[in-house]
Amino acid sequence: MANDKTLKVTLARSPIGCQPKHRLCVKGLGLRKIGQTVELQDTPAIRGLVNKVNYLVRVEEQ
């Protein structure tokens, strides 16, 4: 693959009290519990989701 980069995305804050669209973004990233980390491909779609909920997640590039 040309794009072997991945992102480690960790849910740092609870989406309770956030906008419903932001909750769906967190769910779309595959995050459920605070502290949970997922590894995702570094694509524009994933970047968009992360940017939308940047105040809820921590991101590490690899």
Side-chain angles (χ1 to χ4, degrees), residues 3-43:
N3 188 6
D4 292 320
K5 294 184 180 179
T6 61
L7 297 174
K8 272 191 172 183
V9 184
T10 304
L11 187 60
R13 291 185 52 196
S14 172
I16 294 173
C18 296
Q19 296 178 18
K21 286 185 180 181
H22 291 196
R23 286 190 197 190
L24 290 175
C25 286
V26 170
K27 189 175 182 180
L29 288 169
L31 297 168
R32 294 181 180 167
K33 296 182 178 183
I34 295 175
Q36 181 183 4
T37 302
V38 293
E39 281 198 34
L40 302 166
Q41 290 287 340
D42 189 2
T43 63

Side-chain angles (χ1 to χ4, degrees), residues 32-60:
R32 294 181 180 167
K33 296 182 178 183
I34 295 175
Q36 181 183 4
T37 302
V38 293
E39 281 198 34
L40 302 166
Q41 290 287 340
D42 189 2
T43 63
I46 297 296
R47 285 280 181 169
L49 287 173
V50 168
N51 287 338
K52 191 159 205 163
V53 293
N54 63 352
Y55 61 98
L56 296 175
V57 296
R58 282 194 312 264
V59 181
E60 297 174 28

